[in-house]
């Protein structure tokens, strides 16, 4: 869709380039807008304050400065009802109201303390995490079963006088969560995924009508493209709450993961999951599931894959 909009603009400009009166300033502005939104440097979902600030620099990485620089055009005042435990916990962090446009529901953005880490080359970086929670009338947080806040992540690099923004998540991130909270936590330190990539592993569980499962995810801290959330593997599963423990249709398995301390022959650091229990096999029948599976990040295919 972006391509066709841009192509139409440039074809029209070329057609009327001899008669400049046909090309109004509004038309040029529309073409420029299409180019910005379709640029690889722009975020795909919708306009974000960072789109025009790709080379953003700042003197320090205090919460106040970060809010002012990253959300300058969308900040509003915020009132938060402290009735829920989640709200009381979040309110301990710096926060502001966020509204990108009048049609959107108001959000409250909470900023975690920036975390210093080192990338795969040993270069110093700062990771900034902002949770954007929807609020109802009266300042109550939206905390339904399937609700999760949007999570903005930013990677910054130090320079001679301050810090420079390298990358961030897209506007509508897909980081998992439930009951109004995110499952991704800043307490986990980044780990090496290969000789050029670091990421943060986290678990996310979900239950529905007696069926429960846990997934292992990785937030990969890319620096030359948007930070991305990846599914690594399913860690556990159980349908015993749905069928009952004694049902022949009921089965469950659990997995524990560790990561190799040394790279393999291709420079990757495999994630090893040791499974125990039962699972549905290739034949469609329930069989013992006691095995070890290994997963690696395939940078060229931009995904995690199982390897032997």
């Amino acid at each position: 869709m972006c391509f066709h909009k841009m192509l139409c603009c440039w074809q029209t400009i070329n057609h009327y380039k001899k008669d400049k009166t046909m090309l109004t300033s509004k038309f040029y502005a529309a073409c420029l807008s299409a180019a910005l939104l379709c640029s690889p440097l722009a975020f795909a979902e919708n306009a974000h304050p960072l789109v025009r600030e790709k080379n953003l620099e700042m003197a320090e990485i205090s919460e106040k400065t970060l809010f002012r620089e990253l959300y300058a055009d969308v900040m509003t005042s915020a009132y938060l009802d402290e009735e829920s435990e989640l709200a009381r916990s979040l309110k301990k962090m710096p926060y502001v109201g966020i509204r990108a446009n009048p049609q959107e529901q108001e959000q409250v953005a909470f900023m975690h303390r920036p975390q210093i880490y080192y990338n795969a080359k040993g270069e110093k970086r700062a990771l900034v995490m902002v949770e954007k929670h929807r609020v109802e009338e009266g300042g109550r947080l939206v905390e339904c079963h399937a609700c999760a806040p949007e999570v903005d992540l930013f990677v910054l690099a130090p320079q001679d006088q301050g810090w420079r923004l390298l990358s961030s998540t897209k506007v509508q991130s897909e980081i998992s969560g439930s009951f109004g909270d995110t499952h991704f936590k800043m307490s986990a330190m980044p780990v090496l995924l290969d000789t050029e990539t670091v990421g943060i592993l986290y678990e996310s569980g979900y239950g529905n009508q007696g069926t429960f499962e846990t997934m292992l995810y990785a937030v990969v801290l890319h620096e030359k493209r948007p930070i991305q959330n990846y599914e690594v593997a399913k860690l556990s599963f159980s349908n015993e709450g749905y069928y009952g423990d004694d049902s022949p249709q009921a089965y469950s398995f659990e997995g524990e993961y560790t990561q190799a301390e040394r790279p393999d022959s291709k420079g990757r650091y495999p994630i090893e999951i040791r499974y125990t229990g039962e699972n549905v096999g290739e034949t469609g029948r329930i069989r013992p599931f006691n095995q070890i599976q290994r997963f690696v990040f395939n940078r060229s295919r931009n995904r995690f894959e199982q390897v032997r």
Side-chain angles (χ1 to χ4, degrees):
M1 185 175 180
C2 279
F3 171 77
H4 291 297
K5 285 183 179 180
M6 292 177 65
L7 181 62
C8 179
C9 282
W10 306 141
Q11 286 177 337
T12 305
I13 289 174
N14 288 331
H15 182 72
Y16 290 111
K17 61 183 178 181
K18 294 181 179 180
D19 184 1
K20 296 184 179 180
T21 61
M22 297 293 292
L23 298 175
T24 66
S25 60
K26 289 185 178 180
F27 185 83
Y28 273 116
C31 288
L32 178 59
S33 176
L36 284 171
L37 291 175
C38 296
S39 167
L41 297 182
F43 298 118
E45 283 76 9
N46 52 58
H48 187 285
L50 289 180
V51 171
R52 294 172 180 82
E53 298 289 343
K54 187 64 183 178
N55 297 315
L56 181 65
E57 298 180 356
M58 60 193 75
E60 58 181 4
I61 53 172
S62 66
E63 288 88 344
K64 180 182 289 188
T65 300
L66 288 165
F67 267 133
R68 288 175 174 177
E69 297 296 336
L70 298 174
Y71 298 94
D73 300 327
V74 296
M75 285 194 297
T76 64
S77 58
Y79 169 74
L80 188 64
D81 189 317
E82 298 184 46
E83 181 178 349
S84 73
E85 182 179 346
L86 176 61
R88 290 192 294 272
S89 174
L90 289 169
K91 202 170 182 180
K92 297 176 183 178
M93 295 185 287
Y95 66 93
V96 296
I98 294 289
R99 178 167 284 174
N101 61 65
Q103 289 73 40
E104 289 189 357
Q105 184 175 5
E106 185 178 355
Q107 296 175 307
V108 179
F110 301 87
M111 184 174 292
H112 293 253
R113 180 176 297 177
Q115 175 177 301
I116 300 298
Y117 73 96
Y118 293 85
N119 66 10
K121 297 179 181 179
E123 299 166 328
K124 186 178 181 179
R125 298 289 183 258
L127 177 64
V128 177
M129 174 180 175
V130 177
E131 298 183 34
K132 297 187 298 187
H133 291 255
R134 289 182 293 140
V135 291
E136 300 173 329
E137 187 177 351
R140 294 185 299 274
L141 291 179
V142 176
E143 300 183 46
C144 66
H145 182 194
C147 297
E150 294 178 21
V151 175
D152 291 346
L153 297 173
F154 307 91
V155 169
L156 298 99
Q159 53 184 17
D160 292 340
Q161 296 181 347
W163 295 78
R164 178 171 56 90
L165 177 67
L166 294 181
S167 62
S168 77
T169 47
K170 295 181 179 180
V171 177
Q172 300 294 337
S173 63
E174 299 178 349
I175 294 176
S176 183
S178 61
F179 294 104
D181 197 7
T182 177
H183 295 159
F184 176 80
K185 303 301 179 184
M186 285 280 281
S187 56
M189 289 297 294
V191 296
L192 282 167
L193 299 174
D194 60 34
T195 54
E196 297 183 18
T197 313
V198 299
I200 297 178
L201 302 175
Y202 74 100
E203 300 178 26
S204 177
Y206 180 77
N208 184 36
Q209 297 183 345
T211 299
F212 300 90
E213 67 177 34
T214 304
M215 302 295 299
L216 179 62
Y217 292 96
V219 172
V220 179
L221 303 176
H222 298 296
E223 296 187 0
K224 296 182 179 179
R225 53 194 173 103
I227 299 167
Q228 193 170 341
N229 185 59
Y230 298 83
E231 180 180 303
V232 180
K234 185 177 292 187
L235 274 182
S236 68
F237 176 84
S238 173
N239 63 7
E240 293 171 345
Y242 181 81
Y243 287 110
D245 295 348
D246 297 330
S247 171
Q249 294 176 280
Y251 67 95
S252 67
F253 63 84
E254 293 185 357
E256 294 185 1
Y257 72 92
T258 57
Q259 190 183 27
E261 296 181 357
R262 296 181 179 179
D264 62 13
S265 59
K266 297 183 178 180
R268 306 168 303 187
Y269 291 79
I271 298 168
E272 185 177 280
I273 304 179
R274 184 181 298 271
Y275 291 103
T276 57
E278 295 180 319
N279 196 8
V280 176
E282 296 179 356
T283 62
R285 298 182 178 182
I286 299 173
R287 292 288 185 264
F289 187 49
N290 303 304
Q291 58 182 255
I292 296 174
Q293 295 182 359
R294 299 167 74 240
F295 300 85
V296 297
F297 181 61
N298 188 322
R299 189 158 18 96
S300 61
R301 295 185 177 181
N302 195 33
R303 68 186 186 189
F304 280 84
E305 296 177 337
Q306 184 178 350
V307 295
R308 297 187 177 185

